Amino acid sequence: MQTASPVQRKVTRPRADALRNRERIVAAAREMFTEFGPDVPLDEIARRAGVGNATVYRNFTDRDALVREVVCSVMDRCSEAAEQALAESGDAFAALERFVHVSADERVSAMCPMLCTAFDTNHPDLEAARERLEQIVDELMDRAKATGQMRTDVGVGDLMVAMAQLSRPPAGTACVAADRFVHRHLQLFVDGLRAPARSTLPGTAATMEDLRQA
């Protein structure tokens, strides 16, 4: 008696050109959300990406899906930069410093207001990207404090607030005149994180949970 062979299912993989189109859409959306805010017309995003309107809607069912993808991609790229810096040097403070500057270049602060919009902030993809980012930053700060490189009276929330305030104006202002000062001012902030602390900070260290409640 012969046993029937299992049916081989063909795995459908996205074509290379389809993946490139999706990446182009996300990159164009990231640029335009930063310049004009999350309400920029999808037709304009398609035009900048060099694809047709149908291609945008084929990849993203609605605006919320595209906004979520952009926010996730920015957070993932910032996390990857921090992880790579730590793997290359083993120096937690140097990795944290790199994370701060890469996050500014990724315009992560312009993405923050989008987390306050109506789309599903509890979506699994968004939660995964956020948890990954918070985990690596928390790890870098803990390790830098343990080695005596970083002052102990600051929290992840303090870092994120300062980055948001120093790195970019809010999305939609189209104000890039201050860009040349960004890394200069961020470096001043990073230097202020080093131990030994030269002052006593008022209040208590801010956590990410404090920011979410606020």
mmCIF file of all heavy atoms in Angstrom, residues 6 18 28 57 61 95 100-101 143-144 149 153 159 169 190:
data_model
loop_
_atom_site.group_PDB
_atom_site.id
_atom_site.type_symbol
_atom_site.label_atom_id
_atom_site.label_comp_id
_atom_site.label_asym_id
_atom_site.label_seq_id
_atom_site.Cartn_x
_atom_site.Cartn_y
_atom_site.Cartn_z
ATOM 1 N N PRO A 6 2.872 14.029 0.383
ATOM 2 C CA PRO A 6 2.268 15.305 0.806
ATOM 3 C C PRO A 6 2.252 16.297 -0.337
ATOM 4 O O PRO A 6 3.156 16.336 -1.171
ATOM 5 C CB PRO A 6 3.201 15.773 1.937
ATOM 6 C CG PRO A 6 4.499 15.066 1.686
ATOM 7 C CD PRO A 6 4.134 13.747 1.086
ATOM 8 N N ALA A 18 8.295 44.635 -6.954
ATOM 9 C CA ALA A 18 7.214 44.990 -6.032
ATOM 10 C C ALA A 18 7.783 45.449 -4.689
ATOM 11 O O ALA A 18 7.288 46.409 -4.076
ATOM 12 C CB ALA A 18 6.280 43.800 -5.827
ATOM 13 N N ALA A 28 9.266 57.864 0.305
ATOM 14 C CA ALA A 28 8.620 59.106 -0.109
ATOM 15 C C ALA A 28 7.643 59.590 0.956
ATOM 16 O O ALA A 28 7.559 60.795 1.250
ATOM 17 C CB ALA A 28 7.895 58.902 -1.442
ATOM 18 N N TYR A 57 -2.141 51.986 -3.243
ATOM 19 C CA TYR A 57 -3.287 51.332 -2.610
ATOM 20 C C TYR A 57 -3.171 49.815 -2.626
ATOM 21 O O TYR A 57 -3.770 49.134 -1.789
ATOM 22 C CB TYR A 57 -4.578 51.773 -3.301
ATOM 23 C CG TYR A 57 -4.934 53.215 -3.010
ATOM 24 C CD1 TYR A 57 -4.748 54.202 -3.968
ATOM 25 C CD2 TYR A 57 -5.424 53.580 -1.762
ATOM 26 C CE1 TYR A 57 -5.059 55.532 -3.700
ATOM 27 C CE2 TYR A 57 -5.740 54.906 -1.479
ATOM 28 C CZ TYR A 57 -5.552 55.875 -2.447
ATOM 29 O OH TYR A 57 -5.842 57.185 -2.166
ATOM 30 N N THR A 61 -3.655 49.543 2.359
ATOM 31 C CA THR A 61 -5.102 49.618 2.197
ATOM 32 C C THR A 61 -5.664 51.000 2.504
ATOM 33 O O THR A 61 -6.688 51.386 1.949
ATOM 34 C CB THR A 61 -5.794 48.585 3.099
ATOM 35 O OG1 THR A 61 -5.352 48.782 4.460
ATOM 36 C CG2 THR A 61 -5.431 47.171 2.668
ATOM 37 N N ALA A 95 27.519 53.720 21.627
ATOM 38 C CA ALA A 95 26.363 53.237 20.867
ATOM 39 C C ALA A 95 25.157 54.131 21.105
ATOM 40 O O ALA A 95 24.388 54.420 20.181
ATOM 41 C CB ALA A 95 26.043 51.799 21.261
ATOM 42 N N VAL A 100 21.464 58.505 19.128
ATOM 43 C CA VAL A 100 20.905 59.855 19.200
ATOM 44 C C VAL A 100 21.064 60.573 17.859
ATOM 45 O O VAL A 100 20.117 61.175 17.340
ATOM 46 C CB VAL A 100 21.570 60.653 20.338
ATOM 47 C CG1 VAL A 100 21.209 62.129 20.236
ATOM 48 C CG2 VAL A 100 21.147 60.100 21.695
ATOM 49 N N HIS A 101 22.244 60.515 17.280
ATOM 50 C CA HIS A 101 22.491 61.240 16.035
ATOM 51 C C HIS A 101 21.792 60.585 14.833
ATOM 52 O O HIS A 101 21.271 61.290 13.959
ATOM 53 C CB HIS A 101 23.991 61.362 15.798
ATOM 54 C CG HIS A 101 24.666 62.336 16.707
ATOM 55 N ND1 HIS A 101 24.498 63.706 16.584
ATOM 56 C CD2 HIS A 101 25.479 62.148 17.791
ATOM 57 C CE1 HIS A 101 25.199 64.319 17.535
ATOM 58 N NE2 HIS A 101 25.792 63.398 18.281
ATOM 59 N N ARG A 143 23.802 49.812 30.704
ATOM 60 C CA ARG A 143 25.193 49.392 30.602
ATOM 61 C C ARG A 143 26.148 50.578 30.765
ATOM 62 O O ARG A 143 27.202 50.462 31.389
ATOM 63 C CB ARG A 143 25.425 48.680 29.263
ATOM 64 C CG ARG A 143 24.735 47.331 29.208
ATOM 65 C CD ARG A 143 24.875 46.654 27.858
ATOM 66 N NE ARG A 143 26.259 46.332 27.533
ATOM 67 C CZ ARG A 143 26.601 45.491 26.559
ATOM 68 N NH1 ARG A 143 25.656 44.892 25.837
ATOM 69 N NH2 ARG A 143 27.864 45.241 26.300
ATOM 70 N N ALA A 144 25.769 51.719 30.192
ATOM 71 C CA ALA A 144 26.617 52.904 30.316
ATOM 72 C C ALA A 144 26.676 53.385 31.765
ATOM 73 O O ALA A 144 27.721 53.837 32.246
ATOM 74 C CB ALA A 144 26.103 54.010 29.405
ATOM 75 N N GLN A 149 30.038 55.451 32.885
ATOM 76 C CA GLN A 149 30.150 56.425 31.805
ATOM 77 C C GLN A 149 29.020 57.448 31.817
ATOM 78 O O GLN A 149 29.174 58.547 31.290
ATOM 79 C CB GLN A 149 30.138 55.709 30.445
ATOM 80 C CG GLN A 149 31.325 54.829 30.161
ATOM 81 C CD GLN A 149 31.148 54.103 28.847
ATOM 82 O OE1 GLN A 149 30.363 53.159 28.731
ATOM 83 N NE2 GLN A 149 31.863 54.550 27.836
ATOM 84 N N ASP A 153 21.021 59.659 37.084
ATOM 85 C CA ASP A 153 19.750 60.298 37.432
ATOM 86 C C ASP A 153 18.907 60.647 36.210
ATOM 87 O O ASP A 153 18.048 61.538 36.269
ATOM 88 C CB ASP A 153 19.997 61.554 38.278
ATOM 89 C CG ASP A 153 20.927 62.561 37.596
ATOM 90 O OD1 ASP A 153 21.524 62.204 36.559
ATOM 91 O OD2 ASP A 153 21.054 63.693 38.102
ATOM 92 N N LEU A 159 15.700 60.984 27.863
ATOM 93 C CA LEU A 159 16.441 60.951 26.601
ATOM 94 C C LEU A 159 15.517 61.218 25.419
ATOM 95 O O LEU A 159 15.827 62.038 24.549
ATOM 96 C CB LEU A 159 17.117 59.582 26.440
ATOM 97 C CG LEU A 159 17.911 59.387 25.151
ATOM 98 C CD1 LEU A 159 19.223 60.139 25.231
ATOM 99 C CD2 LEU A 159 18.164 57.908 24.889
ATOM 100 N N PRO A 169 11.977 70.338 14.186
ATOM 101 C CA PRO A 169 10.687 70.974 14.469
ATOM 102 C C PRO A 169 9.570 69.979 14.193
ATOM 103 O O PRO A 169 9.788 68.970 13.527
ATOM 104 C CB PRO A 169 10.648 72.137 13.472
ATOM 105 C CG PRO A 169 11.542 71.701 12.361
ATOM 106 C CD PRO A 169 12.635 70.900 13.009
ATOM 107 N N VAL A 190 24.267 65.189 24.687
ATOM 108 C CA VAL A 190 24.923 63.910 24.963
ATOM 109 C C VAL A 190 26.077 64.099 25.954
ATOM 110 O O VAL A 190 26.249 63.300 26.884
ATOM 111 C CB VAL A 190 25.433 63.267 23.655
ATOM 112 C CG1 VAL A 190 26.330 62.058 23.957
ATOM 113 C CG2 VAL A 190 24.259 62.829 22.787
#
